[in-house]
């Protein structure tokens, strides 16, 4: 890495993912580490630490034990805000050191290939007729962007978003597996999560919550907006450190994050996982998180999901 004045890591760096191998936060951690390695951006070893369970919330109490240590980072998401707003936690982004948003993931509504639900119109009709009869698999927490997207679609269909039959899983892969096994009618998960089962012919995606069609396997999948449903919702993935990092340490990780997400390795990961490019740090990140908190509070309140 090009030499720069200021702080640099002095020992192994831990990147924590709050999901098991293959989960959404794990995928982001692995792609970020691969980009760092491809660009030789660190002079010290890196180690991925998976902390699955508790809806992806386990890394944050761990970071509380490492205050001021810039050698431990965690993959973050809007769940830090929504978990606080829905009353699931007493902490949010302000209790840590947000460093960057790395990318955005849109939400897929997936059903078994042999399901009578073939597209968004079928799901809307099922919600209108008997919403409670639908069995819905969701990851990783009630009130998160996946749940918000589901609630927006249900509300558009005239269904009570608070009366849906939902099973919550710690990993989106488990939610998709629940559909494949026939225990749920649809899974509402980030778009990368059903890709393997789509390729195997086990699931089809009825719609995505993106502003425009995604590429690759999703090229033939309509957005909700194409189906006249106002649902554009994403779940960004970011990077946070413990509280108490110094300005030099934050500046270092900002530089590294910007370089990593501009790399060919990162662009390849975006294509592989159907992610959307979205990088923010510094003042722009702080402003975005504040605006998102206000918007999430309004959205969750309107949907009856505030704690």
């Amino acid at each position: 890495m090009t030499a720069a004045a200021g702080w640099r890591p002095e020992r192994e760096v831990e990147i924590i993912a709050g999901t098991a191998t293959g989960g959404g936060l794990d995928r982001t951690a692995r792609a970020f580490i691969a980009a760092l390695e491809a660009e030789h951006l660190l002079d010290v070893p890196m180690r991925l630490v998976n902390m699955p369970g508790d809806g992806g919330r386990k890394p944050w109490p761990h970071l509380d034990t490492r205050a001021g240590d810039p050698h431990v980072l965690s993959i973050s998401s809007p769940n830090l805000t929504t978990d606080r707003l829905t009353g699931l936690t007493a902490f949010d982004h302000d209790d840590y050191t947000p460093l960057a948003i790395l990318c955005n993931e849109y939400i897929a509504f997936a059903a078994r290939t042999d399901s009578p639900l073939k597209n968004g119109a079928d799901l809307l009709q099922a919600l209108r007729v008997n919403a409670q009869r639908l069995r819905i698999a969701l990851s990783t927490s009630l009130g998160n962007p996946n749940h918000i997207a589901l609630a927006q679609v249900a509300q558009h269909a005239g269904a009570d978003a608070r009366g849906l039959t939902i099973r919550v899983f710690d990993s989106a892969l488990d939610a998709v597996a629940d559909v494949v096994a026939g225990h749920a009618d649809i899974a509402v998960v980030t778009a990368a999560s059903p890709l393997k089962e789509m390729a195997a012919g086990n699931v089809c995606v009825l719609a995505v919550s993106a502003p425009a069609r995604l590429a690759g396997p999703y090229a033939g999948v309509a957005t909700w907006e194409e189906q006249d449903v106002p649902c554009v919702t994403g779940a960004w993935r970011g990077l946070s450190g413990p509280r108490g990092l110094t300005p030099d340490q934050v500046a270092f990780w900002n530089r590294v994050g910007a370089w990593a997400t501009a790399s060919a390795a990162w662009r390849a990961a975006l294509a592989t996982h159907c992610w959307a490019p979205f990088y923010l740090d510094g003042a722009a990140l702080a402003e975005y998180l504040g605006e998102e908190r206000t918007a999430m509070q309004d959205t969750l309140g309107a949907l009856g999901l505030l704690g």
Side-chain angles (χ1 to χ4, degrees):
M1 183 174 70
T2 304
W7 178 86
R8 295 171 65 84
E10 300 154 356
R11 60 180 188 275
E12 180 183 68
V13 170
E14 298 174 32
I15 307 290
I16 302 175
T19 53
T21 300
L25 303 179
D26 172 80
R27 288 191 295 264
T28 306
R30 290 177 188 274
F32 186 64
I33 290 171
L36 294 176
E37 291 176 341
E39 297 297 311
H40 307 289
L41 294 176
L42 293 188
D43 303 322
V44 297
M46 287 170 285
R47 179 164 61 97
L48 172 59
V49 179
N50 292 93
M51 292 187 179
D54 195 25
R57 292 181 281 272
K58 285 189 174 180
W60 307 108
H62 177 73
L63 256 63
D64 287 334
T65 70
R66 304 283 293 272
D69 185 353
H71 299 87
V72 56
L73 309 175
S74 181
I75 301 300
S76 56
S77 75
N79 287 22
L80 266 173
T81 294
T82 58
D83 282 352
R84 177 71 173 267
L85 291 174
T86 55
L88 290 171
T89 67
F91 54 82
D92 62 13
H93 296 286
D94 289 344
D95 294 284
Y96 304 98
T97 304
L99 297 169
I101 287 176
L102 303 173
C103 63
N104 202 8
E105 293 198 68
Y106 293 104
I107 314 304
F109 289 64
R112 273 173 56 125
T113 306
D114 60 1
S115 168
L117 304 175
K118 301 298 183 186
N119 51 45
D122 291 340
L123 178 56
L124 290 172
Q125 180 62 17
L127 287 165
R128 291 188 189 103
V129 172
N130 192 344
Q132 288 186 335
R133 187 175 179 181
L134 279 174
R135 300 164 300 166
I136 302 164
L138 185 83
S139 67
T140 54
S141 177
L142 293 179
N144 73 355
N146 299 9
H147 192 190
I148 288 172
L150 170 64
Q152 288 172 334
V153 172
Q155 190 176 64
H156 182 81
D160 181 1
R162 293 166 294 184
L164 299 175
T165 303
I166 298 174
R167 288 158 54 86
V168 181
F169 293 86
D170 282 328
S171 168
L173 295 183
D174 292 335
V176 174
D178 202 49
V179 169
V180 173
H183 303 313
D185 297 300
I186 61 168
V188 183
V189 293
T190 50
S193 302
L195 287 175
K196 182 178 178 181
E197 297 296 349
M198 289 170 69
N202 295 326
V203 302
C204 63
V205 174
L206 312 180
V208 292
S209 68
R213 289 201 184 193
L214 303 177
Y218 282 97
V221 178
T223 68
W224 277 119
E225 284 209 321
E226 285 182 81
Q227 300 176 75
D228 298 319
V229 180
C231 176
V232 177
T233 299
W236 55 262
R237 308 302 188 194
L239 197 67
S240 288
R243 65 172 62 88
L245 300 193
T246 68
D248 265 2
Q249 291 162 350
V250 171
F252 174 86
W253 287 117
N254 287 169
R255 289 195 302 272
V256 165
W259 288 337
T261 55
S263 69
W266 186 256
R267 290 194 298 272
L270 294 178
T272 296
H273 299 300
C274 300
W275 295 340
F278 183 33
Y279 183 81
L280 286 178
D281 65 18
L285 172 61
E287 181 179 4
Y288 180 86
L289 291 176
E291 292 173 350
E292 180 180 67
R293 181 184 291 109
T294 300
M296 289 290 194
Q297 185 163 13
D298 292 344
T299 299
L300 291 169
L303 296 172
L305 300 175
L306 277 180

